[in-house]
Amino acid sequence: MAKGKNRMSAEVNAGSMADIAFLLLIFFLVTTTIASDKGITMLLPPKPDENTPPPEVDKNARNIFKVQINSADQLLVEDEPLEDVEEISVMAKEFILNFGRPDEANQALFNSLPASLRAQALRADNSSDHPGEAVVSFKTDRGTSYELYLQVLDEIKKAYFEIYGERVGLSADEYRALSTRNPGERELIDRGKENIPMNISIAEPSKAGGN
Amino acid sequence: MSKFKKKTGTSQDIPTSALPDIIFMLLFFFMVTTVLRETDLLVEQKIPAATQLQKLEKKSLVSYLYIGKPKNAALYGTEPRIQANDAIISVDDIFRWVTEEKDKLSEIERDQITISLKVDQEVKMGPITDVQMELREANARKVLYASIKKVDL
């Protein structure tokens, strides 16, 4: 019996396997969009109850930090026109940390703050009494662009996160990255915002210049 | 003195037989992490940038609303519209949509539903306010304004 040619290599040529895999890899690399659920969180106010009239606002004007935007995207902060959006976070921070007339509990809060934050308290008469009382009021028009709305909201949030972060010795970015799932980080979060509520009030927009 | 002759028989090739395995591993990683977009966008989406972004902890609680100018202007006009899941809906339908989304969640999680508003940056505040009023009405008060990280220049 004549022997067949079984001298031929029985292996499959796998040299091009890498190329094929590379091709697939590049396809997936290009098509992948790592889904990101990031953004600015807000808690809307509860729905108005018809049976109860809207609560009377008896806050002192000095405790309200007013930000208004009209339909032409012009800013009015504390009744003064403002060009640069980025100034809002500085102004809001000054306002929140003013400690004009703190009561006893808030004097204790003031004393518990780190020195760097205490130094920022201007104690001006015409600004907020203490952080618990301070409210940032933000009013837009129906014609205001969403982009500017988000920028301003971003600045207001920045003011608060900077305060929270500084209180626990972190930067605003580090503070925001903390996760509530980790007990140690959760404690830091709670310690940062304790007694300094994020009072952002978004007023119902006026009707001018919208659709 | 040729007792210690230099061995010159070493191969110069790098063994590449493990290369496909490594590449396959990477490939599988990307295949697993890839989420193919489950909805077709019917509205334009250019998400505005911001700095103070927060990450959502639990993805199952999130429902998405897309707001923007319709891509198909002949069918839907040029005014900003709202897209939920795969269809364009009107403001009045939001209440029902939220209820449906809430029904998908378990009873304890129902109040924690978060609505991610993916809004095109060209949109004005008017339609957004209308949506927010409906969300308040439907008791879905947690809202996330989706945005991307601003790059400092």
Side-chain angles (χ1 to χ4, degrees):
Chain A
M1 258 200 189
K3 256 188 185 171
K5 278 188 191 168
N6 51 7
R7 284 258 145 220
M8 273 231 289
S9 154
E11 275 174 55
V12 181
N13 188 4
S16 54
M17 186 87 102
D19 298 347
I20 299 166
F22 256 125
L23 209 77
L24 279 169
L25 175 65
I26 288 165
F27 169 75
F28 275 98
L29 266 172
V30 171
T31 54
T32 302
T33 46
I34 292 178
S36 60
D37 268 328
K38 282 186 174 175
I40 295 178
T41 50
M42 270 299 293
L43 190 65
L44 300 177
K47 83 172 165 191
D49 193 353
E50 292 118 34
N51 300 326
T52 49
E56 288 291 317
V57 181
D58 52 359
K59 269 190 185 302
N60 271 316
R62 62 169 184 273
N63 281 322
I64 301 173
F65 182 78
K66 275 194 289 184
V67 183
Q68 288 161 290
I69 316 177
N70 71 1
S71 56
D73 282 0
Q74 287 163 323
L75 272 167
L76 200 66
V77 179
E78 290 283 67
D79 298 322
E80 306 241 352
L82 187 82
E83 288 290 320
D84 188 12
V85 179
E86 283 172 22
E87 276 175 39
I88 293 176
S89 70
V90 183
M91 290 168 79
K93 209 173 160 187
E94 269 173 19
F95 163 78
I96 298 158
L97 288 174
N98 182 59
F99 283 101
R101 315 165 192 196
D103 53 23
E104 222 164 273
N106 283 284
Q107 189 60 44
L109 166 72
F110 178 75
N111 291 333
S112 74
L113 293 178
S116 62
L117 280 177
R118 267 194 308 229
Q120 290 176 48
L122 298 174
R123 296 191 170 269
D125 243 0
N126 57 356
S127 193
S128 77
D129 291 351
H130 54 79
E133 191 75 6
V135 172
V136 180
S137 158
F138 181 23
K139 191 173 162 80
T140 57
D141 189 275
R142 286 183 71 88
T144 307
S145 77
Y146 173 70
E147 198 183 0
L148 187 65
Y149 167 80
L150 203 67
Q151 269 179 28
V152 173
L153 193 60
D154 192 33
E155 289 296 315
I156 299 171
K157 286 243 162 189
K158 188 178 169 194
Y160 275 105
F161 280 127
E162 274 177 2
I163 294 170
Y164 293 166
E166 220 168 312
R167 207 167 160 198
V168 289
L170 299 170
S171 73
D173 288 326
E174 286 164 335
Y175 183 82
R176 267 183 292 110
L178 296 176
S179 159
T180 51
R181 284 188 194 160
N182 183 326
E185 293 183 1
R186 168 129 223 175
E187 199 246 314
L188 274 184
I189 294 179
D190 291 342
R191 205 147 54 84
K193 61 185 177 189
E194 197 184 12
N195 292 328
I196 307 185
M198 200 181 270
N199 290 331
I200 303 175
S201 143
I202 295 189
E204 247 164 75
S206 48
K207 285 267 165 20
N211 42 12
Chain B
M1 293 292 267
S2 61
K3 204 166 188 179
F4 303 103
K5 211 163 120 196
K6 267 188 188 158
K7 283 180 191 162
T8 48
T10 43
S11 160
Q12 298 264 309
D13 293 332
I14 305 165
T16 55
S17 55
L19 195 59
D21 300 344
I22 298 165
I23 303 301
F24 264 118
M25 212 166 67
L26 277 172
L27 176 66
F28 286 139
F29 169 76
F30 276 97
M31 280 177 71
V32 169
T33 53
T34 301
V35 209
L36 294 175
R37 200 189 281 272
E38 63 266 46
T39 46
D40 277 336
L41 284 175
L42 300 172
V43 293
E44 276 176 31
Q45 288 270 282
K46 200 157 172 266
I47 302 289
T51 57
Q52 308 298 308
L53 304 183
Q54 278 176 296
K55 224 173 169 176
L56 284 182
E57 306 254 312
K58 225 171 167 188
K59 268 192 117 171
S60 57
L61 298 174
V62 187
S63 300
Y64 299 92
L65 275 183
Y66 307 88
I67 305 174
K69 236 164 56 183
K71 281 178 182 163
N72 187 345
L75 199 57
Y76 299 115
T78 52
E79 286 299 311
R81 299 295 299 266
I82 305 151
Q83 182 190 349
N85 302 336
D86 265 329
I88 298 265
I89 60 171
S90 73
V91 177
D92 304 327
D93 293 332
I94 290 179
F95 189 94
R96 198 159 38 105
W97 175 78
V98 172
T99 326
E100 279 167 19
E101 292 292 311
K102 276 188 175 178
D103 281 343
K104 289 181 196 164
L105 301 173
S106 70
E107 206 134 333
I108 15 168
E109 287 174 329
R110 229 160 257 181
D111 290 330
Q112 298 173 41
I113 190 171
T114 307
I115 310 293
S116 176
L117 291 176
K118 297 202 166 193
V119 186
D120 189 87
Q121 56 189 17
E122 303 286 308
V123 178
K124 303 283 183 201
M125 280 310 290
I128 298 165
T129 316
D130 296 339
V131 170
Q132 285 181 357
M133 285 305 280
E134 285 295 316
L135 291 179
R136 280 170 68 181
E137 201 69 32
N139 204 12
R141 285 166 54 211
K142 285 173 111 178
V143 165
L144 179 90
Y145 299 109
S147 64
I148 48 172
K149 183 105 189 116
K150 191 183 263 175
V151 188
D152 287 321
L153 295 175

